[in-house]
């Protein structure tokens, strides 16, 4: 056979082999991509059933009986409950309490109540205990602070959606822009995130800080980036919540006295969503008058 003919046939065989190899590689990539999509879809489908929990305790060193304080004639816990029930992502809303007075007021208004142990260390543990007692299983648990009677349902929906859209996260929370004059206040918990919106750190101090120790705008071209105020709205993967409550305390958590740092210190991812929300919580008795005034404005009441 002539050498030219042999070279032509060899080239044909090599071309055919290359074509088959390319087809195989493309097929493998397609199969891999399809499997990845299916895994992610399955993960997301597992986090569709959502319950909102309002932990409420009667005893408080600064404001005993706070959940039952009247806000325009209605207990504050019920004002918050009604707002939570407007969230579109919640399949159920429950009040978790250790006090029969709170439970009675909520039941009388038609709210679902779960009694919890008085020794729960915090609202997170109260949420976990309450959800563990429910007959129905849920995929996501939203811890809604009972002292925010003006909480927007859209904020609740935003944190739920953030967790549902982030299969690599086990926790999501909300922040809102914070005015420079309020950044030094230690009662304002600040947050910083990475470029993809995952939490890096939380602090009661100035965060982020800078070498001059001044509260100022970010450098150009990031001067429009705001300081972030962490809101008391926490959203957990159900399985992670169970695990979280069994985790021992961590150094940064104890140093800053911030529960959410335990999540980050154990290497878990936390998605942060930035919302437009004016935090109007009730911390002290003197906060009630301002909350009632804001509620009157919202309701159009004189």
């Amino acid at each position: 056979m002539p050498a030219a003919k042999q070279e032509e046939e060899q080239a044909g065989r090599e071309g055919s082999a290359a074509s088959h190899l390319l087809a195989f590689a493309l097929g493998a990539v397609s199969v891999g991509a399809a499997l990845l999509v299916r895994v992610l879809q399955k993960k997301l489908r597992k986090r569709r059933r959502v319950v909102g929990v309002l932990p409420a305790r009667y005893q408080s060193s600064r404001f005993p009986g706070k959940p039952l304080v009247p806000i325009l004639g209605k207990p504050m816990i019920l004002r918050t409950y009604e707002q939570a029930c407007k969230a579109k992502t919640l399949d159920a809303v429950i009040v978790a309490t250790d006090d029969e007075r709170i439970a009675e007021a909520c039941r009388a208004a038609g709210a679902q109540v779960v009694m919890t142990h008085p020794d729960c260390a915090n609202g997170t543990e109260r949420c976990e205990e309450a959800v563990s007692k429910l007959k129905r299983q849920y995929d996501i648990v939203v811890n809604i602070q009972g002292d925010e009677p003006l909480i927007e349902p859209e904020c609740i929906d935003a944190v739920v959606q953030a967790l549902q859209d982030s299969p690599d996260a086990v926790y999501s929370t909300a922040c809102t822009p914070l005015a420079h004059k309020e950044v030094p206040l230690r009662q304002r918990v600040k947050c910083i995130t990475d470029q993809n919106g995952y939490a890096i750190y939380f602090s009661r101090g100035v965060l982020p800080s800078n070498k001059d120790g001044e509260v100022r705008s970010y450098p150009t071209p990031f001067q429009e980036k705001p300081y972030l105020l962490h809101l008391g709205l926490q959203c957990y993967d159900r399985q992670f919540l169970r695990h979280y409550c069994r985790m021992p305390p961590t150094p940064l958590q104890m140093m800053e006295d911030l529960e959410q740092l335990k999540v980050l210190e154990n290497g878990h991812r936390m998605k942060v969503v930035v919302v437009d929300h004016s935090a109007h919580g009730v911390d002290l008795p003197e906060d009630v008058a301002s909350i009632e005034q804001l509620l009157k404005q919202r309701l159009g009441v004189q």
Side-chain angles (χ1 to χ4, degrees):
M1 181 181 293
K5 182 66 173 177
Q6 289 180 336
E7 291 177 359
E8 183 179 341
E9 290 181 355
Q10 179 66 21
R13 286 192 295 271
E14 291 176 354
S16 178
S19 297
H20 282 90
L21 182 59
L22 178 60
F24 176 80
L26 291 174
V29 170
S30 298
V31 171
L35 288 174
L36 178 59
V37 168
R38 288 177 63 183
V39 168
L40 292 178
Q41 288 177 337
K42 186 177 180 181
K43 179 72 171 176
L44 294 175
R45 279 199 301 271
K46 285 184 177 179
R47 297 209 286 202
R48 289 299 172 190
R49 295 167 296 181
V50 187
V51 60
V53 183
L54 280 68
R57 65 189 185 98
Y58 192 89
Q59 297 301 327
S60 171
S61 58
R62 293 190 302 171
F63 195 168
K66 182 168 67 169
L68 295 180
V69 65
I71 304 292
L72 294 186
K74 185 178 294 186
M76 180 174 62
I77 188 67
L78 289 178
R79 289 283 182 193
T80 310
Y81 175 85
E82 290 173 353
Q83 288 298 102
C85 286
K86 296 175 185 177
K88 297 177 181 179
T89 54
L90 300 183
D91 298 302
V93 180
I94 65 172
V95 175
T97 186
D98 61 353
D99 191 275
E100 196 57 46
R101 289 164 290 188
I102 296 173
E104 184 179 349
C106 291
R107 291 192 192 105
Q112 183 179 356
V113 177
V114 177
M115 299 304 296
T116 55
H117 199 278
D119 291 339
C120 287
N122 48 52
T124 304
E125 288 190 9
R126 201 172 300 283
C127 285
E128 158 61 18
E129 182 185 346
V131 174
S132 68
K133 292 181 175 181
L134 296 176
K135 292 182 180 179
R136 188 179 178 188
Q137 299 297 308
Y138 291 94
D139 309 313
I140 289 177
V141 180
V142 189
N143 182 345
I144 303 166
Q145 300 299 311
D147 59 1
E148 278 237 15
L150 300 183
I151 183 71
E152 292 95 343
E154 294 80 9
C155 290
I156 298 172
D157 290 333
V159 294
V160 172
Q161 191 70 53
L163 187 57
Q164 289 175 331
D165 291 345
S166 307
D168 57 343
V170 295
Y171 181 117
S172 63
T173 191
C175 289
T176 196
L178 181 63
H180 283 194
K181 64 180 181 181
E182 295 191 15
V183 173
L185 300 178
R186 299 200 64 78
Q187 62 266 40
R188 302 286 190 267
V189 176
K190 277 71 70 176
C191 172
I192 52 173
T193 68
D194 65 16
Q195 293 287 69
N196 296 310
Y198 290 90
I200 296 175
Y201 195 67
F202 296 83
S203 180
R204 298 181 186 277
V206 176
L207 190 71
S209 186
N210 55 68
K211 64 182 181 180
D212 299 317
E214 300 175 354
V215 176
R216 63 188 186 201
S217 298
Y218 280 77
T220 304
F222 308 108
Q223 62 271 25
E224 299 302 319
K225 183 178 176 67
Y227 286 83
L228 293 178
L229 169 68
H230 182 228
L231 303 175
L233 189 58
Q234 304 166 84
C235 187
Y236 313 90
D237 176 276
R238 172 68 188 98
Q239 299 303 319
F240 174 74
L241 174 60
R242 182 180 292 111
H243 174 62
Y244 174 87
C245 289
R246 296 171 181 170
M247 290 179 184
T250 51
L252 295 176
Q253 172 201 359
M254 297 178 71
M255 178 67 79
E256 295 270 11
D257 190 23
L258 295 173
E259 286 184 62
Q260 62 271 28
L261 287 175
K262 185 164 68 169
V263 180
L264 301 180
E265 286 183 86
N266 280 279
H268 298 286
R269 304 206 79 189
M270 180 188 303
K271 189 70 173 182
V272 175
V273 59
V274 179
V275 299
D276 184 13
H277 172 69
S278 297
H280 297 298
V282 177
D283 294 321
L284 300 169
E286 50 265 35
D287 295 330
V288 173
S290 60
I291 290 290
E292 288 188 323
Q293 187 59 41
L294 290 167
L295 184 58
K296 285 180 180 179
Q297 294 174 7
R298 182 176 293 187
L299 297 176
V301 176
Q302 297 298 320

